[in-house]
Amino acid sequence: MCGIIGAVGRDDETLETLVHGLAKLEYRGYDSAGVALTGDGSGVDICKRAGEIDDLRESLETRSPSGAVGIGHTRWSTHGPPNDANAHPHKDCTGDVAVVHNGIIENYQSVRDELTTSGHTFRSDTDTEVVPHLIEEGLANGLDPEAAFREAVGRIEGSYAIAAVIAGEETIFAARNDSPLVLGLDNEIFYLASDVPAFRDFTDQVVYLADGEFARLDDDWTVTDADGTVLDKDVETVEWDPEETGKSGYDHYMLKEIHEQPRALRQCLRGRVDELGGSVDLGDLGDLSPTGVQFVACGTSYHAALYGAQLFEHAGVPAQAFLASEYAASPPPIGDALVIGVTQSGETADTLSALREASRRGARTLAVTNTVGSTAARECDHVFYIRAGPEIGVAATKTFASQQAALNLLTLATAGGDTRSVVPALRDLPGNVQALLDDSRAADIAEIYEDASSYFFIGRGYHYPVALEGALKMKEITYKHAEGFAAGELKHGPLALVTEDTPVFAIVTGDNEMATKTIGNVKEVEARDAPVVAVTDGQSDVERYADHVLRVPETHPRAAAVLANVQLQLVAYHVANRLGRSIDKPRNLAKSVTVE
């Protein structure tokens, strides 16, 4: 959600660097883009456009800002529609201050009213625009640029990552609160961004800002607290290669990331599973031993949380999964409960809010995340990294599979269970996913059902969260109606929507009572002339009642849920591709949702 890039010290390459960084941040979701540069003695020069990065590039062909210092932004609209005026950067009345901002300024209206009364003229509908005017006020009152920036930040309330440039200063001023911001260091060249991919092609040395911290970038870098005290920040090395954020010959990032799942799963499991001994060792987490577990998460991560809650329940530990945005209204944790926040980015605002509420309630907290140095990783009592590697496509794929694997490891290590049967299944999971990818008929299924009016996904047990996730993927990237259900719930209402134009994807693995009951639900939709696509390992006789079959290898039920999900990812991808959708950047969606 929104993206920030800043660069100091690139000299004649600053503009090119900013546009390159914005392109690397496209995956976060946006509807306009812009840049502001200064440092050549001619004030602050801004160019911004509604639309995509290519639209901005088109504008830059006839009007190229210049300067050795610059900031850029991709905007995901919250206040005001996506148009040129509302695009970032925003400037003050004099044109000497330019600001980019991620997040929401909650008191912007009262501040704006006050500034308007004082004679300031606003040109946009955004909450962000109050910031450059506040800086202008500070400068007019005799403050130096850094003091004016600090005073402006002190006046606003809400979530923000803010970066500003001021005419006459070859400096970027920045601050963060509840929205990510990271510095990139490359000798005497410095970068600022909302996410590492924006500058990873140039450096792997990073400094993560924490809430309440300020940064100043000029001929050096400095991080201070709210009082101006210089902080000794750790410089960390990004382990992944910049090529991991490219498409590697695939048509879309999403397809590449689906095919990266065997490697992502190996990375998640490596060093944590003793294959010979059949045990799991997560020693760096310590002895958690929860008496109860509450999960908080959103979207795809919520489906992983539902899956994780079942794992803990089956291990004898009471567990619940909550939508993070609803957690404040939930019952408090009981006893020595552990609250687990599942968040790919570690910056999801609703999940962070729920984790903070859990801490206020006295619970221990654990972040299951993909992002080293993220807010969730820093704020929680414990952190467990899923190690999926960078994911660029907005629709989560390899991170969901890695979350499933990670939650299996977490359950086995903290609550016990049948490690002798589960560990071999986890060990075989990367190979089984690869075999599935090599032989999948998902593209054929997509060709048959691309024109369907709606899609239903059903499953029981571990497959219920997968049914929900399958429907979410279909909705996200095809823009078609899709719903996931616990298979037994169809007859309690949703069956009224089933027609011959409603393909039903039924996940059935194994040959136990649960499989038998799901086959009964398949018969219910078959009797209403709905086409059935069975996602199955062939152990049951569901194929007798299915129009088409998507195969998964035989394995433990926990691992089968991962495999079934991969087939559904492929179906959604191929339907979207046939419909010509914007697969990597679906409309209205963002990769990291940093507002509540």
Side-chain angles (χ1 to χ4, degrees):
M1 178 175 287
C2 300
I4 287 174
I5 177 67
V8 176
R10 295 286 295 184
D11 299 325
D12 294 340
E13 299 177 345
T14 300
L15 177 59
E16 179 183 341
T17 300
L18 295 179
V19 176
H20 176 83
L22 293 179
K24 289 291 186 177
L25 293 172
E26 284 189 293
Y27 70 94
R28 294 174 67 88
Y30 73 105
D31 46 46
S32 61
V35 294
L37 288 91
T38 188
D40 62 355
S42 60
V44 177
D45 201 357
I46 293 177
C47 183
K48 56 183 183 175
R49 279 281 302 273
E52 300 189 349
I53 302 296
D54 286 344
D55 297 307
L56 176 63
R57 287 193 178 103
E58 182 181 315
S59 293
L60 291 171
E61 289 177 1
T62 57
R63 208 184 142 269
S64 294
S66 61
V69 177
I71 53 177
H73 191 267
T74 51
R75 176 180 185 249
W76 191 83
S77 299
T78 55
H79 295 70
N83 56 35
D84 290 355
N86 289 330
H88 295 217
H90 290 288
K91 59 185 179 180
D92 67 328
C93 295
T94 67
D96 289 337
V97 180
V99 168
V100 293
H101 161 237
N102 293 349
I104 291 180
I105 298 173
E106 296 172 355
N107 64 333
Y108 88 96
Q109 191 61 62
S110 61
V111 174
R112 179 169 176 148
D113 291 343
E114 179 184 328
L115 289 166
T116 301
T117 302
S118 299
H120 290 263
T121 300
F122 286 81
R123 302 176 179 86
S124 77
D125 303 313
T126 68
D127 55 338
T128 302
E129 197 183 354
V130 301
V131 180
H133 289 281
L134 285 171
I135 296 173
E136 178 189 3
E137 285 271 290
L139 293 172
N141 291 332
L143 295 178
D144 65 64
E146 183 170 354
F149 177 77
R150 286 178 172 277
E151 181 178 80
V153 171
R155 289 283 310 278
I156 63 176
E157 300 170 3
S159 62
Y160 52 78
I162 294 174
V165 291
I166 299 172
E169 302 288 326
E170 293 195 2
T171 304
I172 297 176
F173 303 98
R176 73 152 281 176
N177 184 61
D178 286 347
S179 195
L181 212 49
V182 58
L183 310 184
L185 316 179
D186 183 17
N187 295 318
E188 295 180 355
I189 300 173
F190 306 110
Y191 305 92
L192 174 82
S194 47
D195 205 354
V196 173
F199 55 70
R200 179 61 187 88
D201 287 335
F202 308 117
T203 182
D204 63 357
Q205 299 299 292
V206 302
V207 174
Y208 295 98
L209 297 189
D211 285 349
E213 293 182 348
F214 290 74
R216 177 181 176 130
L217 306 179
D218 39 42
D219 57 357
D220 202 349
W221 65 277
T222 306
V223 177
T224 56
D225 62 17
D227 296 324
T229 303
V230 176
L231 302 175
D232 183 16
K233 299 288 289 185
D234 292 332
V235 179
E236 302 183 32
T237 300
V238 176
E239 299 296 337
W240 46 267
D241 191 278
E243 291 187 6
E244 291 188 54
T245 61
K247 291 183 182 177
S248 303
Y250 289 92
D251 290 337
H252 299 94
Y253 284 112
M254 181 180 178
L255 184 61
K256 170 180 175 274
E257 288 156 1
I258 289 173
H259 282 266
E260 285 178 341
Q261 288 178 118
R263 183 176 68 178
L265 289 165
R266 289 188 187 97
Q267 290 172 173
C268 179
L269 299 172
R270 186 174 296 125
R272 294 165 166 172
V273 174
D274 179 355
E275 298 178 7
L276 294 177
S279 61
V280 174
D281 181 9
L282 305 180
D284 53 336
L285 285 181
D287 183 16
L288 296 177
S289 301
T291 58
V293 170
Q294 291 185 334
F295 284 93
V296 291
C298 308
T300 289
S301 294
Y302 173 67
H303 300 154
L306 286 171
Y307 173 80
Q310 290 191 29
L311 297 177
F312 273 100
E313 284 281 349
H314 293 161
V317 177
Q320 299 168 286
F322 295 94
L323 288 165
S325 57
E326 294 292 318
Y327 184 69
S330 71
I334 298 173
D336 188 25
L338 179 68
V339 177
I340 302 174
V342 186
T343 163
Q344 185 280 136
S345 68
E347 303 292 349
T348 309
D350 286 323
T351 305
L352 291 174
S353 178
L355 288 167
R356 289 164 184 160
E357 175 63 23
S359 292
R360 285 191 290 270
R361 294 174 173 183
R364 294 175 297 158
T365 56
L366 166 68
V368 176
T369 183
N370 193 40
T371 309
V372 176
S374 61
T375 301
R378 292 195 310 272
E379 291 189 2
C380 285
D381 299 314
H382 308 276
V383 60
F384 184 36
Y385 292 111
I386 67 171
R387 300 178 183 168
E391 185 175 67
I392 305 302
V394 168
T397 52
K398 67 177 182 178
T399 53
F400 180 68
S402 295
Q403 286 170 340
Q404 289 176 294
L407 291 173
N408 268 289
L409 297 178
L410 182 64
T411 307
L412 291 171
T414 62
D418 185 10
T419 56
R420 288 291 177 179
S421 63
V422 176
V423 167
L426 294 176
R427 176 199 62 206
D428 294 340
L429 195 49
N432 281 336
V433 172
Q434 187 60 61
L436 183 158
L437 292 169
D438 293 340
D439 299 329
S440 177
R441 292 188 57 248
D444 298 331
I445 301 299
E447 182 178 2
I448 295 168
Y449 295 118
E450 65 176 291
D451 294 324
S453 61
S454 184
Y455 303 85
F456 279 11
F457 298 79
I458 61 173
R460 288 175 182 263
Y462 296 129
H463 295 324
Y464 169 48
V466 173
L468 295 176
E469 176 62 11
L472 179 61
K473 284 293 150 290
M474 188 68 79
K475 282 184 271 199
E476 285 179 317
I477 63 171
T478 71
Y479 312 154
K480 291 250 194 162
H481 177 258
E483 293 295 336
F485 301 98
E489 287 300 298
L490 276 182
K491 57 185 173 292
H492 297 293
L495 202 58
L497 301 175
V498 171
T499 71
E500 60 186 12
D501 194 31
T502 312
V504 177
F505 290 80
I507 310 166
V508 185
T509 62
D511 188 21
N512 54 18
E513 182 181 3
M514 197 169 292
T516 300
K517 289 183 177 180
T518 306
I519 292 171
N521 303 129
V522 167
K523 293 178 181 178
E524 292 169 359
V525 300
E526 183 197 37
R528 275 76 179 175
D529 296 322
V532 175
V533 179
V535 183
T536 182
D537 56 9
Q539 293 189 65
S540 69
D541 62 349
V542 67
E543 295 177 46
R544 293 179 53 191
Y545 309 101
D547 297 271
H548 304 279
V549 172
L550 290 170
R551 289 275 184 188
V552 299
E554 287 188 31
T555 186
H556 192 281
R558 295 185 181 191
V562 181
L563 299 172
N565 178 67
V566 176
Q567 285 285 25
L568 298 182
Q569 291 172 348
L570 288 167
V571 172
Y573 170 81
H574 287 295
V575 171
N577 196 36
R578 295 186 65 83
L579 294 173
R581 305 302 193 219
S582 179
I583 291 174
D584 289 329
K585 295 176 286 183
R587 68 188 182 198
N588 303 331
L589 299 182
K591 182 66 179 174
S592 178
V593 184
T594 55
V595 296
E596 293 184 69

